Every structure is written in C-alpha cells, then in structure tokens.
Amino acid sequence: MCGIVGAVAQRDVVPILVEGLRRLEYRGYDSAGVAVIDGDAHLARTRSVGKVRDLEARLDGHMAGATGIAHTRWATHGRPATENAHPHICRKTVALVHNGIIENHEELRRAQTKLGFEFTSDTDTEVIVHEIYRHLADTHDLLEAVRRALPALRGAYALGVITSEAPGRLVAARRGCPLVVGLGIGEHFIASDVAALLPVTQRFIFLEEGDVADLTRERVTIYDASGQIVERPVKQSELSADAVARGEYRHYMLKEIYEQPRAITDTLTNRIGLHHVYDEAFGTGAAAIFDTIEAVQIVACGTSYHAGLIGRYWFEALAEIPCSVEVASEFRYRRPRLAPHTLFVTLSQSGETADTLAALAHAKTIGVEHTLAICNVPESALVRQSGLALLTQAGPEIGVASTKAFTTQLVALLLLVASLGRRGHLGGDGERRIVGLLRTLPVLTEQALSLDAAVQSWVPAFANKQHALFLGRGTQYPVAMEGALKLKEISYIHAEAYPAGELKHGPLALVDADMPVVAVAPGNELFEKLHSNLQEVRARGGELFVFADAKNGITADERTHVITVPPTDDLMAPVVYTVLLQLLAYHVAVSKGADIDQPRNLAKSVTVE
Ligand code: G6P
C-alpha cells in the first residue's frame, strides 16, 4: 500500500527519496511522485503514473533540494492518474504525502471549497494539505499548523509535510498507519518502513499512535498524542542494505520461496530445546497465561488466514483445544461471542494490516484478556498492541504474494500447539513428537524445492487456461486454498479451492478439458477418499495434476499427471505441499509475463480497511 519517504539534509535528497521509493515498491502502487524545496526555497514537484523508473526518467536530474518528500500511491479515492498522485500541494506553499484514508474528506472538501480552496485531484488526501495550509497562514509554524489540522481528520494516516516557508523542516504524523524516523548524522528521514532507508541509516525510531515528529537537520523532536515531548527508544536495525536485495534470483518471490528452509530454521532457533518448546519464546508471562487457556480464536487476512485455518486442525486434533478461525474484516464487524479463557491469536506477516489491528482492538473491547501476535515484523503495531508475541524469522518479505511468511507462520502455530497441548491431552510425548518433526522440516522443504523442474514441466497445461480448481482434504484443504490464492494473485488465472468431498455438490459441473484440477495428496488416512474424488474428475474428462506422496502409488496416464513427493509425515505435509503449489503459481505467472512481485491491483501491506 502507499509508501512514504522523506528527508531533511544538507545534500540533495532526490536520489535518497527515489531509492527509498524503489525499496517500497513491493508494497504495491500505481503512481509515484516527489517534491523538494529547491535552492530558491520554492516547492518543485514531479509525479507520474506507473513505476518508480518512470518517475526517475521524468526527473532525469532536473530537480534537486535538501528537504523533500516522496510517495508511491495505491489508488483508493480517485483513479491512478498524475493529478491524483502525491505529493499534493496547496498554493505553492505546502506539500504533503499521505498513507491511509480520510473518512470525512467529503465534508472537509465542502467546507474548504467554501473557503476558496481549489481542488486538483479526486483524492481524500488533498483536504489535509489545505487544512494544514489554513493553519500555516495563521501561525507561520509548520509544526503548529500540522498539530492544529490533525483533529479535523477522521480516519487513518501517516503523513509527511514540508513547506517553502521553512525549507529545512519536515513534519510527520501517524495514526493508524506505520511510519518510522531514520536518524542520520546531520540529516534525518522518515519512511513507511525501515527497508526504504537502509542505504542511509540503521538507526530508527518507530512512531507510536498519535505521534507527531518535527525533523530538522540538527534534531528530531517527537510529541505524543497529548502534545507532550516524548523520548522514543532508538532501535538499531540488524538488516543490511542488501538484506532486501534480490541477488541472483529473477524475482523476489522465487528468492523467498527458496529461502524457506533457512526461514524455518531461524524460526525454530532458540524456541525449542531437545524435546520441548520454550514457553518464553512467546513473551514474558506466557507460561502462566497458557496454564489458563481453554480455547483459541485466530483472526487474520489473506494468506495469513489460510495459515490459521490449518492451525485449527492442529489445535483441535492434537491439543484438543477448541479453535475458531475468522477473517479479520468479518470478525471486527460481528458481535462475536468468545468462550472464557480464550487466547486471541492474530497472524500477520506485516503486523500493520488494518483489519487485523481493528479485530484485535475489538477483541479487547469485548473482554478478551490474553492476546498473542504471530508476526514477522518486531516493531509492528500488532506486536506492540498484543500481550504476547511470537516472531516468525522469515526476514523481510518483498514479493506481494506471501510465501516464506506463510510457512513460518505454520511453524509458529505448531510451536503454540505443542506448548498449549503439553498442558493437556497432547502431553510431553506429543510435544516431543512435534519438536522432532519440526527439526526435519528444513530438509523436507529442501526436498520439495528439488522438485522445481518437475513442477515447471506442468506450466504449458496452465498458461492458456482461464480457470483452475484446487482440491484437498483435511489440512490440505486450506493448503489448496493457499495454492489457488497464489495462482490467482500472480497469474490472474481464476482459481478456486474446494474440499475434495464437496466436488460433487457443485464444482463438478465445471469440470471439462479446459479446467485443470490440481490435487494435493499426502499419504494420510484421507487419501482413499481423495482418490475417489479424483476418479469423479477423471470420469468427466477433467485433467488432473496431482502432488502425491510416493507411498500412495498413484499412477500417471494421459490425463493424470503426477509429481511424486518423498514420504512426509502428515503434520509436516502442509508446508511441503504448499512449497510445491508456490512453485507452480510462480512458474505459470512467469510464463504469462506477469509482474510477479507487484501483481496488479494488490498491495503487500494493507493499511486501510
Ligand atoms: C495482503 C497481501 C497478502 C497478505 C494479506 C495479509 O493482501 O497481499 O499477501 O496475506 O495482505 O497481510 P498480513 O501482513 O496481515 O499477513
């Protein structure tokens, strides 16, 4: 979703801003822009629809300035167009970039129009820059103008603002959307996430809800929501500038698929002893809290939701703990009833997904006492707002289609199942079994990756198709959902997943030679049932693509294609088979020439509702 970068320095900041935008490209966007205060203390701005490289081509060395802001826009209000791209400017004096949504923008627009302000865009953002200008005209103080403007805004925002009246100053604010301050020597920065600023600094302050930051070259002053000056901790990032580099891989998504054995190993490191899971891995006081837990409620969005669906099978079958899973955007607007002693678990790669954060807040208002975030970003709002947290150690995930974050979420869920389950039905032996299996998972994942060439050989059968069906049973049903989501996200082929037993209740009507049917068939007690469902497809002339455990003995024929997967314990199978489905989606999308890492219309981090 929209990305923000800003800088106040002595040197020309345009190259820093453009490099920052390039590093935020993964969030998803459709247009980009930059504004600086030039050597004559005038605001200069360049915007363009399309990629950051298009913006760069327009800039072509024409703009320079030591104070500036830049933005990648993901359209919400107003189509992707140059006039809707940020920065927005009011009366050649104030320039602003915004991430989030201003809900009362129509009301503000009406009021400002009466006051004589002219609108040049269809965005909800433009009202903010006019509001700030209004107060700047009174106060001639940018910080004060921003602080006076903010109470008029209803909704979510991360903002960066500059004015030609104060060339060496940058004011930032956050409410509901992430924003970090980067600390340099004699220069300071803001950005939507640390990745944008890694070439210029490793030291960061993570702004809290309601914070306003006043940046000059010499100092950074932060005011909390009540207007008091506050000291926020300075964090040293351990990421290097090339931690988010693509290396030898053609796409980030492929790199991230191949990083999974390492990501899984890192997620297990320091979390497990020889035979058990350390409760401390979930945060201070986790052990005492876990002793009281009688039910689990999982809430998440997108790929993270699919991880939760798999987790439910494990919580109920292994730990015998009742577990519900719901997409966050539904949970937050229902009137859910949670059992006493429920552990409320949120799953999120980014930790900034607006719906998931709102669901967490809602859970607290209905009396949930114990919350746990399983998240990939330590400084995220979700981690900060949850009582307990288990951080997946996937490392930065850049491809919009989530891969390594998903499989490490599954690992984290198994750690939680083992820890909660030890206290009940699962017992020490069950925990020992899970821990032992998890240790084998990096190698199993490597084995799955070694089937890459076989997966690629299936690509021609999908590349020209409009639709595909994915089938699975048990934990493999959500795996099939994740496979279908991957394919639709990046190749734009319409793909649906069904529990294989549901086939005859509707989707079988769609099966014909133009509908490839993908099945995930590990060697478990459901295989015979799945096998019968696959026969139903074959009998209707459908073409089957089956990932099957070697011991199932499925034979290939003209219309049944089989990739044999090394025998895998059922508990590890969701990770192993997901890797294969990720590879399938990836290679099909590559063959279609799709924009793998930034699929159309999608955003990595969905910070609006
Ligand atoms: C977006 C991304 C998905 C992701 C979902 C949830 O839709 O494109 O890849 O699964 O958000 O994101 P989260 O960061 O909460 O896991």
Side-chain angles (χ1 to χ4, degrees):
M1 203 136 276
C2 306
I4 288 176
V5 196
V8 43
Q10 195 165 21
R11 52 178 163 162
D12 174 23
V13 295
V14 172
I16 297 172
L17 298 177
V18 172
E19 176 59 22
L21 290 186
R22 206 176 288 120
R23 288 166 169 268
L24 293 177
E25 282 190 298
Y26 76 92
R27 296 167 69 89
Y29 71 105
D30 43 57
S31 50
V34 52
V36 293
I37 300 166
D38 66 17
D40 301 324
H42 292 137
L43 277 176
R45 169 177 69 178
T46 303
R47 300 179 289 176
S48 78
V49 174
K51 297 289 179 190
V52 172
R53 62 173 175 272
D54 302 318
L55 175 72
E56 220 179 345
R58 279 196 180 205
L59 283 164
D60 194 27
H62 292 320
M63 240 172 74
T67 302
I69 48 177
H71 190 264
T72 46
R73 172 173 188 256
W74 189 80
T76 56
H77 296 66
R79 67 194 172 92
T82 307
E83 67 271 19
N84 289 331
H86 300 209
H88 288 286
I89 291 183
C90 182
R91 296 184 182 168
K92 299 183 181 166
T93 308
V94 181
L96 168 134
V97 287
H98 167 223
N99 173 20
I101 287 182
I102 301 305
E103 289 165 6
N104 58 335
H105 68 103
E106 282 176 358
E107 190 184 301
L108 288 169
R109 184 180 274 247
R110 275 194 298 275
Q112 291 172 353
T113 305
K114 279 192 196 141
L115 293 172
F117 286 96
E118 281 175 19
F119 284 82
T120 57
S121 79
D122 299 324
T123 65
D124 55 322
T125 297
E126 207 178 344
V127 295
I128 315 175
V129 74
H130 293 331
E131 200 63 17
I132 292 171
Y133 177 91
R134 230 158 56 78
H135 293 292
L136 188 68
D138 291 343
T139 62
H140 298 286
D141 179 303
L142 183 62
L143 173 70
E144 191 51 31
V146 171
R147 288 166 69 177
R148 289 191 190 185
L150 294 180
L153 310 178
R154 215 167 54 229
Y157 53 79
L159 304 176
V161 197
I162 57 176
T163 172
S164 52
E165 284 195 9
R169 203 167 185 192
L170 165 61
V171 174
R174 81 155 270 177
R175 187 177 290 281
C177 293
L179 201 61
V180 299
V181 173
L183 304 173
I185 297 170
E187 52 186 15
H188 296 116
F189 313 93
I190 57 165
S192 296
D193 70 38
V194 299
L197 299 177
L198 288 172
V200 285
T201 185
Q202 236 93 19
R203 294 167 64 231
F204 296 96
I205 293 171
F206 294 83
L207 294 182
E208 303 266 340
E209 281 299 276
D211 279 357
V212 175
D214 185 12
L215 286 75
T216 61
R217 274 175 46 211
E218 294 77 28
R219 71 181 64 82
V220 172
T221 314
I222 298 173
Y223 300 83
D224 67 12
S226 68
Q228 299 301 310
I229 291 183
V230 277
E231 291 287 329
R232 300 275 180 231
V234 176
K235 302 268 169 86
Q236 184 82 26
S237 171
E238 281 161 20
L239 293 174
S240 64
D242 56 7
V244 287
R246 213 171 55 214
E248 77 220 44
Y249 290 95
R250 188 165 165 198
H251 299 103
Y252 279 108
M253 183 180 177
L254 188 64
K255 174 179 181 250
E256 289 157 4
I257 290 173
Y258 270 84
E259 280 175 344
Q260 290 176 109
R262 197 271 309 142
I264 291 168
T265 304
D266 289 355
T267 301
L268 291 173
T269 303
N270 298 330
R271 270 72 186 267
I272 50 176
L274 207 50
H275 302 305
H276 67 283
V277 175
Y278 299 131
D279 288 341
E280 300 74 30
F282 299 90
T284 316
I289 292 170
F290 286 179
D291 287 345
T292 67
I293 294 304
E294 292 173 7
V296 170
Q297 170 72 54
I298 299 176
V299 166
C301 302
T303 288
S304 298
Y305 168 65
H306 293 158
L309 289 177
I310 295 170
R312 175 171 60 184
Y313 286 87
W314 291 333
F315 280 111
E316 299 201 337
L318 301 172
E320 294 197 355
I321 295 174
C323 175
S324 305
V325 189
E326 189 161 1
V327 289
S329 53
E330 287 300 311
F331 182 89
R332 65 182 286 191
Y333 289 118
R334 275 196 320 116
R335 292 195 181 166
R337 293 281 166 264
L338 299 186
H341 310 295
T342 291
L343 180 65
F344 189 84
V345 179
T346 50
L347 291 174
S348 174
Q349 187 284 128
S350 62
E352 300 291 349
T353 303
D355 283 322
T356 309
L357 286 168
L360 173 63
H362 185 51
K364 290 180 188 170
T365 65
I366 60 171
V368 164
E369 265 184 81
H370 300 305
T371 58
L372 166 70
I374 292 178
C375 187
N376 197 37
V377 181
E379 302 301 341
S380 60
L382 197 68
V383 170
R384 288 200 305 249
Q385 289 164 24
S386 300
L388 299 172
L390 181 63
L391 294 168
T392 48
Q393 300 290 338
E397 192 182 66
I398 306 296
V400 165
S402 185
T403 52
K404 60 179 180 171
F406 175 77
T407 45
T408 52
Q409 283 170 348
L410 293 182
V411 169
L413 283 166
L414 275 174
L415 295 176
L416 184 60
V417 167
S419 187
L420 289 176
R422 178 204 314 138
R423 296 163 155 84
H425 171 79
L426 183 68
D429 286 349
E431 181 180 30
R432 178 188 287 248
R433 186 175 98 81
I434 293 176
V435 169
L437 284 169
L438 281 171
R439 285 187 194 287
T440 67
L441 191 54
V443 173
L444 294 174
T445 311
E446 293 281 6
Q447 284 172 359
L449 291 169
S450 72
L451 296 171
D452 196 353
V455 176
Q456 279 189 59
S457 72
W458 284 0
V459 166
F462 289 81
N464 299 320
K465 297 290 191 298
Q466 304 292 321
H467 310 276
L469 265 183
F470 284 68
L471 302 177
R473 275 179 173 263
T475 50
Q476 295 296 321
Y477 167 44
V479 168
M481 293 169 80
E482 177 57 12
L485 177 63
K486 287 283 92 75
L487 191 68
K488 68 184 132 191
E489 276 180 316
I490 59 170
S491 76
Y492 316 139
I493 293 174
H494 169 231
E496 290 302 331
Y498 273 91
E502 272 292 293
L503 200 59
K504 54 191 169 297
H505 298 295
L508 203 52
L510 296 171
V511 169
D512 62 16
D514 286 328
M515 171 78 89
V517 178
V518 181
V520 268
N524 59 22
E525 76 283 0
L526 291 171
F527 173 67
E528 280 313 320
K529 306 262 179 228
L530 176 73
H531 197 227
S532 309
N533 303 139
L534 300 187
Q535 296 310 325
E536 294 161 11
V537 172
R538 283 192 50 187
R540 270 93 190 159
E543 191 164 7
L544 281 166
F545 296 83
V546 191
F547 292 101
D549 189 290
K551 70 172 182 264
N552 287 343
I554 297 194
T555 46
D557 60 33
E558 212 183 311
R559 298 196 66 73
T560 306
H561 311 271
V562 180
I563 288 179
T564 306
V565 183
T568 307
D569 186 279
D570 204 30
L571 204 55
M572 297 298 111
V575 171
V576 171
Y577 285 76
T578 296
V579 169
L580 296 165
L581 297 180
Q582 293 168 348
L583 288 171
L584 179 64
Y586 172 77
H587 290 300
V588 171
V590 169
S591 78
K592 298 187 75 176
D595 191 347
I596 306 287
D597 290 327
Q598 293 153 32
R600 68 184 183 205
N601 305 339
L602 298 183
K604 179 76 184 158
S605 179
V606 183
T607 51
V608 297
E609 228 189 300

